[in-house]
Amino acid sequence: MKKRNPVFWFSFFLLTVFLALPTAFAHANKPLIIDLGSIAPVQKMSRALAFTLPVPPTQAVQFKGTGLSAAKTGNRIPAERLTFTPDPSTQNNATRTVYHLQIQLLPSDPPGEYEGLIYAVYPDRKTTQPCPLLVKIKILPWIRIEPGNSTPQLNIAASPFLREDKLLTRNPVKLLLASNAPWRLLLRLENETPFHTSPFPLQIGIGKTLNTVVFKERMRVSDDYRPVAFGAPTVVGDGSTPANYWTELYLTAAIDDWYHYPTGNYNFKMFFAAETLLP
């Protein structure tokens, strides 16, 4: 029994060292987290953040990685859009170096929580382990809507022949909408004629060209916001041209069976709201 004691204690010592190794190894290779926060890139823009590496400024450093990805959607931000530069103000005799990470963002980047591992590699130190950097950024959904006409106004004129069943607007109103996510457009009508409530509904039509109507909705002044159009993300690439940024929507209105209603001048105001939808 006594002869087995040295073997037992030696085995116990090896087990203790083996259990301690993973903790020490994991601590040494714990990634440095660089969180760039949340941003809604409505145009081409960049965001930067400083971090420190435990190497002197004279040490050559290479940054290697495959970019960032969103786990839920699989969308990616390529590594080419990440730039690492040393801070020129760092003293040459310092033992640590400040670096700046800059990421280029495009208005077409889909919403999501992106992250990826970038490794700081020291080519002159063959025995030094690369330093892992966990880069994180959250792209927020965004949407913009603007009038496409200098005077956005719809006019419905009475028929001079009194034979038409429907009165239509003379010219449509053009809306410009841009978004990096699926979207929907909502509309609400408000009466602008004092003491003269509209007795008829309006037939609202929205199309993506002058001669098409994709969405139709019958609305009254008393109605709350109603969805009148839906669509996919509009921006392509960096959105540097209007055609790659905006989608055009043409709004028309009509009065069906107008001769059943009292004649007169009726003024309406249209309120639009736009929102993004979960992908």
Side-chain angles (χ1 to χ4, degrees):
M1 186 67 179
K2 292 183 179 180
K3 293 182 180 180
R4 296 180 182 177
N5 283 340
V7 178
F8 173 78
W9 288 111
F10 180 68
S11 300
F12 179 76
F13 174 75
L14 285 180
L15 180 62
T16 304
V17 173
F18 177 77
L19 291 175
L21 276 177
T23 304
F25 181 79
H27 179 74
N29 289 270
K30 184 178 180 180
L32 172 65
I33 297 177
I34 304 176
D35 193 341
L36 294 161
S38 302
I39 187 170
V42 297
Q43 59 187 2
K44 185 178 180 180
M45 60 180 62
S46 63
R47 174 161 288 191
L49 193 65
F51 63 96
T52 303
L53 288 179
V55 293
T58 55
Q59 172 64 53
V61 181
Q62 297 176 352
F63 296 91
K64 298 183 178 182
T66 58
L68 313 182
S69 63
K72 291 184 177 181
T73 61
N75 295 317
R76 299 187 61 82
I77 297 177
E80 292 76 18
R81 287 205 255 146
L82 279 70
T83 305
F84 295 86
T85 54
D87 193 322
S89 64
T90 305
Q91 300 295 325
N92 290 332
N93 59 353
T95 59
R96 304 175 71 85
T97 305
V98 176
Y99 281 83
H100 295 274
L101 164 60
Q102 185 176 49
I103 183 171
Q104 294 289 334
L105 301 172
L106 302 180
S108 59
D109 287 332
E113 297 182 4
Y114 294 78
E115 64 178 45
L117 276 174
I118 308 294
Y119 290 91
V121 180
Y122 314 115
D124 299 338
R125 295 183 178 183
K126 302 299 183 181
T127 59
T128 303
Q129 292 289 332
C131 178
L133 312 173
L134 181 60
V135 181
K136 306 171 67 175
I137 189 169
K138 184 176 182 180
I139 304 297
L140 300 174
W142 61 267
I143 190 166
R144 294 179 60 188
I145 182 171
E146 294 182 4
N149 306 84
S150 56
T151 56
Q153 185 175 0
L154 290 174
N155 294 312
I156 302 178
S159 171
F161 305 106
L162 300 178
R163 291 194 301 266
E164 299 177 359
D165 292 335
K166 178 184 293 187
L167 294 183
L168 301 173
T169 50
R170 295 174 180 173
N171 297 300
V173 166
K174 183 169 72 172
L175 300 176
L176 300 176
L177 186 145
S179 178
N180 69 337
W183 54 269
R184 71 173 180 174
L185 181 69
L186 301 100
L187 172 64
R188 179 174 65 85
L189 300 176
E190 184 175 293
N191 184 35
E192 286 287 294
T193 307
F195 311 108
H196 201 173
T197 304
S198 168
F200 50 82
L202 286 179
Q203 185 75 36
I204 303 297
I206 294 183
K208 293 189 176 182
T209 66
L210 282 170
N211 300 319
T212 61
V213 175
V214 181
F215 306 96
K216 290 183 178 180
E217 190 70 24
R218 189 178 177 89
M219 298 188 64
R220 290 184 175 272
V221 172
S222 57
D223 293 340
D224 200 353
Y225 277 104
R226 301 269 293 276
V228 291
F230 302 85
T234 68
V235 189
V236 178
D238 61 3
S240 57
T241 62
N244 288 338
Y245 190 85
W246 299 101
T247 186
E248 295 181 351
L249 299 174
Y250 294 88
L251 172 71
T252 59
I255 304 174
D256 289 332
D257 300 326
W258 61 272
Y259 45 81
H260 292 308
Y261 305 108
T263 58
N265 294 323
Y266 299 92
N267 297 320
F268 304 92
K269 183 176 287 186
M270 295 184 174
F271 294 88
F272 291 95
E275 61 185 12
T276 57
L277 305 173
L278 293 177

